[in-house]
Structure formats: structure tokens, C-alpha cells
Amino acid sequence: MSTETKPAENTTSRTLVLTRLINAPREKLFKAWTTPELLKQWFAPAPWTITHAEVDVRAGGSSLVVMRGPEGQEFPCPGIYLEVVPNERLVFTDAYTKAWEPSEKPFFTGVITFEDEGGKTRYTARALHWTDADREAHEKMGFHEGWGKCADQLEALAKRI
Amino acid sequence: MSTETKPAENTTSRTLVLTRLINAPREKLFKAWTTPELLKQWFAPAPWTITHAEVDVRAGGSSLVVMRGPEGQEFPCPGIYLEVVPNERLVFTDAYTKAWEPSEKPFFTGVITFEDEGGKTRYTARALHWTDADREAHEKMGFHEGWGKCADQLEALAKRI
């Protein structure tokens, strides 16, 4: 595993970025992102778990992931895909719960890219926020640790599938 | 011209709706919505005008319309298309300025539908807001009068094109 800080496109002060060079093909990472049974195995940082995952992977399609914390509390995370390019790019947001119903609070838009790099995959997850305050809140919620741990889990899973 | 209050799909307390039965084919109304030179002729309620209109009419494409008020002040309105179904449906929002850069303030999502109805077109414009406060503000800004006047202008234009 290597962690680097390659600048990502469109980075602003309201953006958080995690980038990794992962020793797995793009196709496996994309599959892990878009298959509910696989998503459940890596998308929450342990000891958090995913109790429910449904995804309609197409622009305008909904997703619903329910995370469970170590004390049993459940957090439903509804969202929608904005752009899907198989094995290359996924864009989603919590600004809508379905096409095109505004959510209670637009918090962030996720842009996930998968690029070939020296026989491995450059995996970059960007979280774009509408406000500086939300970016700060996301950082304090543990964005780097949480998404970093998930990336570790994703990499480990990619080796098994 | 007839104005009715047919309930629209997905209507919530955060939604404003304008619906009209317009004596013009769907294709002409869609063309007036998606052609910059035509858009300029109806999309601002007189005496407001449009000084600039550029539209990239596809999901993820940007639009930029600049409105000019009667005293010369200009208001740029950047946005993005979320869904485009030719002659049927247009969805856009000001929550992004381009794919997928969050705007300063996500205010509303517009869902415009064009349906055949008795040889005319049922034209429905819905404005979906993230908060009740924004819906109220939009209403106080004159949503019904403004969008209504624009619909009059759209109908008049459709007869000339």
C-alpha cells in the first residue's frame, strides 16, 4: 500500500481528497464499488459495518447504504449517482434521495476515479462540499482516517475477488 | 392560454409548480428551451432581458444564462443539466456550476416536462428546493408571476417558430 498526495483535478478549499496507488486492476475496484455484496465488505471502516446496500448504478439511479456503528446505532445514507463510467469514474451525491428529490441537506458530492498507473491503479476519492464548514466538519468526522481505512479494506478485498 | 393547477409528480412542501396547457407542439417548446437564440427571447420576464445564453444540453452539461434587470444590473445564473430527454423532459440545477463543482449555494432543481394533451402540450415547470425557507424565498421573489409571464412569452414564441 502506498499513500500519496498527488493533486487531483478541480481541487478547491471545499474539497477533501484521498489518493492511493493500489495493486489491483481498475475493474476489480469498480466491481467492489458497485456490487452490494462486495460493497458491504469494505465500505464502512471496521468496527463499523454495512447492514444494507442497494445500488442502481446509472446516472439518476439511487443508492441506499445503511451503516451500523459499534454500539448498534444505524445510519441510513441515501444518495444518487450523477455519472457512471464503468471501470473509470463514479460520481454520486447525497443532495438527492432519488431522481430528483432534494435531500434534507446537500452535504457532499463524491467523485471516484480509477486510472491505470504503472501496472497498478491510481485510486482517487474526492469529496466536494458546498461550504467550507461542511468540508471542515467532514474532516473532523474523520474523513482521512475513515476513507483511508476503507481504502485498505478495498485493497484487501480486491485481492480476494 | 389556460392556467390550471393539476398536481405534479413528487410535489412536496418544498416544491413550486407552474402548469399550463399550451397550444403548440412539444417539439417547439423543447426547442425554445434548448436553443440559446430562442431562449433569449422568452426566458426572462419583460422588462428583464437575457444578455447571454449558452447551453450544453446533455446530462452533466453546463448552462450559463445572464439576466439583465430594467436598471441594467446583470445576474449570471450558472447551472448544470441533470437529465435530458428530448421533447419530453429537462432537469437542471444551480447546485453545480459545472460537472461536478458545487456552487456557492444549492437553491433549486428545475424539472420541466412536456406532455401531449388533447392536441396541445401540457407544460409543467417544477422548482424543487432543499429547504422550506428557499421555497418561500422563491415564491416571494415572484416565482408564479415571473414563470407565468415567461410561459406567456414561451407560448407566443412557439407560434412564431
Side-chain angles (χ1 to χ4, degrees):
Chain A
M1 183 195 88
S2 80
T3 299
E4 299 179 22
T5 54
K6 183 188 174 193
E9 52 175 325
N10 288 344
T11 302
T12 72
S13 65
R14 295 178 289 150
T15 304
L16 295 172
V17 183
L18 175 106
T19 185
R20 288 279 180 91
L21 192 60
I22 293 183
N23 193 6
R26 288 188 286 127
E27 292 72 14
K28 289 195 177 181
L29 301 182
F30 187 82
K31 188 177 173 190
W33 259 95
T34 55
T35 309
E37 287 314 306
L38 298 179
L39 198 66
K40 283 178 170 181
Q41 297 178 47
W42 72 270
F43 193 64
W48 286 63
T49 57
I50 307 282
T51 56
H52 180 85
E54 56 182 287
V55 293
D56 181 9
V57 187
R58 59 182 176 88
S62 301
S63 67
L64 176 60
V65 170
V66 180
M67 299 201 179
R68 181 157 62 193
E71 283 149 36
Q73 68 280 40
E74 295 208 331
F75 297 88
C77 307
I80 199 166
Y81 294 98
L82 293 170
E83 188 182 342
V84 175
V85 183
N87 306 323
E88 284 184 23
R89 188 176 173 84
L90 272 175
V91 182
F92 55 90
T93 184
D94 58 12
Y96 300 93
T97 52
K98 61 178 184 175
W100 296 99
E101 201 69 48
S103 63
E104 291 299 313
K105 157 78 181 166
F107 182 60
F108 84 107
T109 299
V111 178
I112 313 299
T113 54
F114 311 90
E115 301 162 277
D116 291 328
E117 190 175 308
K120 301 180 178 179
T121 299
R122 167 63 54 191
Y123 169 73
T124 304
R126 288 184 296 140
L128 289 70
H129 303 82
W130 275 275
T131 66
D132 281 318
D134 285 344
R135 192 262 303 155
E136 282 168 30
H138 206 171
E139 200 159 16
K140 284 183 183 158
M141 282 160 60
F143 171 85
H144 294 290
E145 300 82 347
W147 285 59
K149 191 162 192 173
C150 287
D152 293 343
Q153 297 172 175
L154 171 62
E155 182 163 22
L157 175 66
K159 290 178 181 161
R160 300 196 303 270
I161 61 176
Chain B
M1 184 195 85
S2 79
T3 299
E4 301 179 22
T5 54
K6 183 188 174 192
E9 51 174 326
N10 289 344
T11 302
T12 73
S13 65
R14 295 178 287 151
T15 303
L16 295 172
V17 183
L18 175 106
T19 185
R20 289 279 179 91
L21 192 59
I22 292 183
N23 193 6
R26 289 188 286 127
E27 292 72 13
K28 289 194 177 180
L29 301 182
F30 187 83
K31 189 178 173 190
W33 259 95
T34 55
T35 308
E37 286 314 305
L38 298 178
L39 198 66
K40 284 179 169 180
Q41 297 178 48
W42 73 270
F43 194 63
W48 284 63
T49 57
I50 307 282
T51 56
H52 180 84
E54 56 183 286
V55 295
D56 181 9
V57 188
R58 59 183 175 88
S62 301
S63 67
L64 176 60
V65 170
V66 179
M67 299 201 180
R68 181 157 63 193
E71 282 148 38
Q73 68 280 39
E74 295 207 332
F75 298 87
C77 307
I80 199 167
Y81 294 98
L82 294 169
E83 187 182 342
V84 175
V85 184
N87 305 323
E88 285 184 24
R89 187 175 173 85
L90 271 176
V91 183
F92 55 89
T93 184
D94 58 11
Y96 300 93
T97 52
K98 62 178 183 175
W100 295 97
E101 201 70 48
S103 63
E104 291 300 314
K105 157 77 182 166
F107 182 61
F108 84 106
T109 299
V111 178
I112 313 299
T113 54
F114 311 90
E115 301 162 278
D116 292 328
E117 189 175 310
K120 300 181 177 178
T121 298
R122 167 64 54 190
Y123 168 73
T124 304
R126 286 184 297 140
L128 289 70
H129 303 82
W130 275 275
T131 66
D132 281 318
D134 285 343
R135 191 263 302 154
E136 282 167 31
H138 206 171
E139 200 159 17
K140 284 184 184 157
M141 282 161 61
F143 170 87
H144 293 290
E145 301 81 348
W147 285 60
K149 191 161 192 173
C150 286
D152 293 344
Q153 296 171 176
L154 171 63
E155 182 164 22
L157 174 66
K159 289 178 181 162
R160 301 197 302 271
I161 61 175

